[in-house]
Amino acid sequence: MTDIATRATRRVASPGGRRRLNGGGPRAGTIFAFVIPFFLPFVLFYLVPVGYALWQSVRVVRRTGGQYGTSYTTFGGFEQYTKVFQNHEFWSSVGRIGLFGIVQVPVMLFVALVIALLLDTPLLRLKSVFRITAFMPYAVPGVIAAIMWSYLYSPQLSPVVDLLNGIGLHPDFLGPGAVLWSAANISTWLWTGYNMLIMFSALQSIPQELYEAAKLDGAGNWTIAWQIKVPIIAPSIILTTVFSIIGTLQLYAEPAVLRQISSNISSTFTPNMLAYAVASGNNYQQAAAISVVIAVITFVLSFGFMRLTSKRAGL
C-alpha cells in the first residue's frame, strides 16, 4: 500500500484497534448442515467426473485379429498423454489461446477497473443506470452473445460492415488475421461487467473516512483512485485475473459459433474444441487425456499467478 494510503489508514484507526470476540463457535452439526448442500453436488458433478476422466485417460483401445478384429479397452499408462504432447494441433491451439489471453485478459480487466472506479466516484451521476448498463451483457448467455456478434461480423448481414464499407474501410472481421480478435471482442463485451461488479463491490467496502483522511493529506480524486483504491482492492483484481485465466483456457462457445460463418476457424481452434472433436470421433480416451492436460495447465497458470501476485502485494 502507498504512503498516502498508510497515513490515511492510521488516521482512521481506533486506539483500541481490535475487538474481542465473545461467544463460542458454531456446533459441528450446524456446520455439517450448511456444508452438505454444497459438498454433495461438488462430489457428484465435479470430483466424480474428474476421477472418471483421469481413469479414461490412462486406458487405450486394442484390437485382436487385425484391423477388423475384436476391440477391447485396457490399461495403457501414459500412452494417451504421450500422444497429446506429440500432437501439433494441440500445441497450436494452446499457443493460439495463450496469445488470446495475453491480449484479451489485461484489456478486459483494465476496462472493468476503470468502469468500477468511475462508478465509485462521487462525481458521476445516474450511477445505478450506468452500473446496470455495464453489467447487462453478462446476463446474456455466451452462445446468444456469439450469435448476436456473428450477425454484426457477417459481410452479408452486418449493418456495421456496410457502414464501414461506405466510408472506404472494408473490414474483414472473420478473416484469418482478425477472427481471433473478433472472438476476443465477444468475450470482453460479455465478461467485463462481471469483473466490474466484483471490483465495484470491493470498492464499496472501503471506509469513507479513509478518503477523507487522504484529502486532509492533500490527495486529489486521481491520487485517491490509483494510490488508495487500487492497492486496497488488489485481492479482487487478482481474483478476477485468476477467473479470467481459467475462462480463457475454457474458451469454446465464441469460436464454435463463429465457425459456422467463417472458414478460418477449424475444429481444433482452441484446446476445448480439439477435445470435443476428438471425442466426436469416438476416441474418448484421447479426449480425456487432452482434458486432463488442459486442467493441469489451467491449474499451474492460475495458481502460479496467484502465488506470484499475492507475494508482491503482500497478501
Side-chain angles (χ1 to χ4, degrees):
M1 192 181 297
T2 62
D3 293 337
I4 293 178
T6 303
R7 292 197 301 269
T9 304
R10 289 174 179 173
R11 284 180 179 271
V12 299
S14 60
R18 299 178 181 176
R19 295 180 179 179
R20 185 175 180 180
L21 300 177
N22 297 322
R27 295 181 179 179
T30 305
I31 296 176
F32 186 74
F34 279 103
V35 169
I36 279 295
F38 162 79
F39 187 72
L40 284 179
F42 178 76
V43 171
L44 293 176
F45 302 109
Y46 185 81
L47 293 183
V48 171
V50 168
Y52 184 71
L54 287 170
W55 169 245
Q56 285 290 331
S57 67
V58 295
R59 297 175 66 79
V60 294
V61 177
R62 308 289 190 197
R63 290 187 179 274
T64 58
Q67 182 178 359
Y68 301 100
T70 303
S71 63
Y72 64 96
T73 305
T74 185
F75 180 77
F78 293 102
E79 182 176 334
Q80 299 290 359
Y81 293 99
T82 301
K83 293 179 180 179
V84 172
F85 292 132
Q86 293 176 348
N87 190 337
H88 174 71
E89 291 181 336
F90 173 77
W91 292 114
S92 296
S93 66
V94 170
R96 191 177 298 111
I97 210 67
L99 178 62
F100 176 98
I102 289 173
V103 176
Q104 188 267 340
V105 170
V107 170
M108 176 181 63
L109 295 182
F110 178 76
V111 174
L113 177 61
V114 170
I115 296 175
L117 290 173
L118 288 174
L119 290 174
D120 192 59
T121 180
L123 303 178
L124 185 67
R125 298 179 180 273
L126 301 176
K127 290 184 181 181
S128 58
V129 175
F130 285 105
R131 183 166 62 248
I132 294 173
T133 303
F135 183 73
M136 192 176 297
Y138 177 67
V140 180
V143 174
I144 302 301
I147 294 174
M148 291 168 50
W149 279 97
S150 64
Y151 169 77
L152 296 176
Y153 291 150
S154 174
Q156 293 79 23
L157 302 174
S158 174
V160 176
V161 174
D162 290 339
L163 178 63
L164 295 176
N165 287 336
I167 60 176
L169 293 180
H170 305 291
D172 185 7
F173 296 116
L174 302 176
V179 69
L180 179 65
W181 310 118
S182 296
N185 177 65
I186 299 174
S187 296
T188 303
W189 179 83
L190 190 62
W191 292 97
T192 296
Y194 171 80
N195 294 299
M196 175 276 297
L197 190 63
I198 295 177
M199 298 178 189
F200 180 71
S201 299
L203 288 170
Q204 292 294 290
S205 65
I206 301 176
Q208 294 296 318
E209 293 82 357
L210 190 62
Y211 303 147
E212 297 173 1
K215 289 180 180 179
L216 292 177
D217 287 331
N221 290 328
W222 181 267
T223 303
I224 291 174
W226 295 106
Q227 296 191 25
I228 294 181
K229 293 182 179 181
V230 173
I232 289 178
I233 67 169
S236 297
I237 298 175
I238 293 173
L239 179 65
T240 55
T241 305
V242 171
F243 286 164
S244 300
I245 292 173
I246 296 172
T248 297
L249 288 164
Q250 294 178 345
L251 185 69
Y252 180 85
E254 292 86 347
V257 172
L258 293 179
R259 184 170 180 255
Q260 307 303 316
I261 61 173
S262 175
S263 59
N264 295 305
I265 297 181
S266 65
S267 60
T268 61
F269 193 75
T270 68
N272 268 1
M273 292 179 69
L274 173 62
Y276 179 80
V278 172
S280 299
N282 295 326
N283 193 349
Y284 301 112
Q285 294 77 21
Q286 182 70 35
I290 295 173
S291 302
V292 171
V293 173
I294 295 172
V296 171
I297 294 175
T298 303
F299 173 79
V300 171
L301 290 178
S302 57
F303 183 76
F305 174 83
M306 187 168 56
R307 288 292 301 272
L308 178 63
T309 53
S310 297
K311 286 182 179 180
R312 291 187 176 183
L315 302 176

